[in-house]
Amino acid sequence: LLKAGWNTVFCGRRKAVLDAAIVEAGRTEAKALAVACDISKAGEVDDLFETVAEAFGRVDLLFNNAGMGYKSTPIDEIPVEVWNDIVGVNLTGSFLCARAAFGAMRKQRPMGGRIINNGSVSAYAPRPGSVPYTATKHAITGLTKTLALDGRPYDIACGQIDIGNALTDMAQPMTVGVPQANGSIAAEAVMDVQHVADAVVHMASLPLEANVLFMTVMATKMPFVGRG
């Protein structure tokens, strides 16, 4: 986004990691700002958007990208606190950020903006033992559809990118072996995460009269389409 000319706010819990990401992006004409924030906490999200307003005056794009999961586990062995943590980040965090961004976009002049939610192929089909993660990603689909509807009068577009096996630190186990629907453990094909970034920039670059409501970007040979 920085390289595409967007003034960009990097948000996450650890400011040192955010600062490192800005450095990695390199020198750009666009401005970057790192703000430490736990998006599962309403007060911190409100403070985040106040900081954004003071720094840039308006909000034109929100990418709801924060998320967490848990190891493959039967539902009766999943601690309630794990469920609460995953719902707090994946769903409540997306709600809180979308709520703040929607309010800013509705009130600013010129009015409008775009919200992109990071869903998952799990929003369509679960992995074994993934109740908390899969439930939140199905809920993100509902959030996306409702925001796309409610945003119409205010020129607020909302879309969702569903990602399958992008090679990040979190996805590294895919290259070694993960549980399959038939009970086996198998390595899966992965793709460069840059393809996801390119897709997000494309979605963000559209005029507000156009919207990518849902896009799936996935490793071509991952075991998602089909049976087994």
Side-chain angles (χ1 to χ4, degrees):
L1 287 168
L2 274 172
K3 292 175 182 176
W6 290 82
N7 293 330
T8 306
V9 178
F10 289 64
C11 168
R13 290 173 298 171
R14 295 172 291 165
K15 190 171 185 301
V17 178
L18 305 175
D19 290 334
I22 291 174
V23 172
E24 184 180 350
R27 297 180 62 87
T28 64
E29 293 185 5
K31 298 177 181 177
L33 177 65
V35 181
C37 172
D38 182 341
I39 64 161
S40 68
K41 297 178 180 176
E44 292 193 25
V45 173
D46 289 342
D47 290 344
L48 164 67
F49 278 84
E50 287 182 12
T51 300
V52 173
E54 292 173 1
F56 299 111
R58 59 182 290 118
V59 177
D60 292 297
L61 174 68
L62 166 67
F63 181 33
N64 264 327
N65 186 48
M68 64 180 294
Y70 191 62
K71 61 185 178 181
S72 179
T73 308
I75 186 171
D76 57 307
E77 296 179 12
I78 296 173
V80 173
E81 56 268 26
V82 168
W83 166 269
N84 289 335
D85 286 345
I86 293 174
V87 171
V89 173
N90 296 9
L91 183 55
T92 302
S94 293
F95 162 77
L96 292 173
C97 290
R99 176 177 179 270
F102 195 101
M105 293 170 179
R106 184 161 67 94
K107 296 168 186 172
Q108 64 196 10
R109 295 293 180 270
M111 184 172 59
R114 187 181 306 275
I115 297 170
I116 301 174
N117 292 322
N118 187 346
S120 169
V121 294
S122 292
Y124 303 94
R127 287 186 175 277
S130 64
V131 164
Y133 183 82
T134 299
T136 59
K137 292 306 181 179
H138 275 70
I140 289 296
T141 298
L143 178 67
T144 297
K145 290 179 178 179
T146 308
L147 289 174
L149 175 62
D150 291 350
R152 287 178 185 174
Y154 311 110
D155 294 330
I156 299 172
C158 183
Q160 180 170 320
I161 184 165
D162 296 315
I163 303 162
N165 288 17
L167 186 54
T168 63
D169 290 344
M170 289 178 64
Q172 192 66 40
M174 305 289 179
T175 64
V176 179
V178 290
Q180 303 296 306
N182 64 0
S184 66
I185 302 293
E188 297 186 8
V190 295
M191 65 176 175
D192 190 334
V193 71
Q194 184 63 47
H195 302 310
V196 178
D198 293 342
V200 171
V201 172
H202 168 68
M203 295 170 73
S205 69
L206 293 172
L208 292 179
E209 66 184 20
N211 185 38
V212 175
L213 183 60
F214 291 99
M215 176 189 289
T216 300
V217 182
M218 54 177 276
T220 304
K221 296 182 180 182
M222 67 175 291
F224 172 63
V225 178
R227 301 188 182 198

